[in-house]
């Protein structure tokens, strides 16, 4: 391929030269087809769904992590106790993970379809798919994980109360000695 380009470029008066990478055109096409879920010139649902599942998993993890960090920071600024912070992190993190998963999957699906149908629109299609998927899902799951958040809050408060009781017992034990 490099030799063919260089001959045509030279004949056209182009001074640029292409270097051979040592990777065959067949290998490059195979890797590209695999990334775009193409088998024998046709998009395969197996690879497409696998790519969408990976995008969903990665997007969910990223969204939940970012949301957790944001909610922790918000709780610190608001002066929330550990239980309230846990409630916010769990409920908002779960909502964010679901919305992120759907956004990742729809963005990946839109990218793969556009890459085959109209390659120049693949990236805008991915962005539009992700945005639409994320917004639609976000509005559906808003508040859906409040009960889970309250469970987390109760658990953290119970642990906090238990630690406080132990600390008070130790303090009371030592206060019973005359030198304290």
């Amino acid at each position: 391929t490099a030799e063919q380009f260089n001959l045509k470029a030279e004949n056209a008066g182009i001074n640029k030269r292409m270097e051979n990478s040592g990777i065959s055109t067949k290998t490059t096409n195979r890797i590209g087809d695999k990334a775009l879920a193409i088998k024998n010139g046709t998009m395969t649902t197996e690879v497409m769904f696998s790519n969408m599942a990976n995008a969903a998993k990665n997007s969910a993890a990223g969204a939940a992590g970012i949301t957790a960090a944001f909610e922790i920071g918000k709780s610190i600024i608001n002066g929330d106790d550990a239980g309230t912070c846990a409630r916010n992190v769990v409920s908002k993190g779960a909502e964010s993970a679901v919305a992120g998963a759907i956004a990742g999957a729809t963005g990946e699906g839109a990218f793969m379809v556009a890459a085959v149908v109209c390659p120049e629109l693949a990236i805008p299609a991915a962005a539009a798919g992700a945005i639409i998927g994320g917004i639609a899902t976000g509005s559906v799951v808003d508040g859906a994980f409040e009960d889970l958040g309250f469970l987390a809050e109760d658990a953290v408060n119970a642990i906090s109360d238990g630690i406080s009781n132990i600390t008070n017992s130790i303090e009371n034990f030592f206060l019973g000695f005359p030198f304290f």
Side-chain angles (χ1 to χ4, degrees):
T1 305
E3 289 177 21
Q4 293 170 354
F5 171 82
N6 291 336
L7 284 174
K8 288 183 180 181
E10 189 176 312
N11 290 339
I14 299 171
N15 294 331
K16 299 280 184 186
R17 299 205 29 91
M18 183 184 287
E19 296 292 325
N20 187 343
S21 66
I23 300 172
S24 73
T25 302
K26 183 178 176 182
T27 300
T28 305
N29 287 340
R30 183 179 51 78
I31 292 168
D33 286 350
K34 185 174 182 184
L36 293 174
I38 296 171
K39 187 175 186 178
N40 299 327
T42 307
M43 183 180 293
T44 64
T45 55
E46 178 185 348
V47 178
M48 183 176 175
F49 287 132
S50 174
N51 288 354
M52 290 172 68
N54 285 333
K57 178 182 67 174
N58 294 335
S59 296
I66 290 167
T67 300
F70 178 78
E71 289 298 327
I72 290 169
K74 197 165 82 173
S75 284
I76 290 169
I77 290 169
N78 291 340
D80 295 339
D81 62 22
T84 303
C85 178
R87 180 185 70 221
N88 294 338
V89 167
V90 169
S91 64
K92 296 299 181 189
E95 289 175 16
S96 186
V98 171
I102 299 299
T106 55
E108 180 70 16
F111 172 80
M112 287 187 291
V113 170
V116 172
V117 176
C118 186
E120 46 285 339
L121 294 178
I123 296 195
I131 290 167
I132 292 167
I135 290 172
T137 307
S139 64
V140 170
V141 299
D142 187 30
F145 296 97
E146 288 292 321
D147 289 341
L148 186 61
F150 283 114
L151 285 174
E153 179 179 23
D154 291 344
V156 168
N157 285 339
I159 292 168
S160 179
D161 290 346
I163 291 170
S164 181
N165 289 340
I166 292 169
T167 304
N168 288 337
S169 295
I170 293 170
E171 182 180 325
N172 289 337
F173 173 78
F174 283 111
L175 287 176
F177 289 106
F179 50 86
F180 282 104

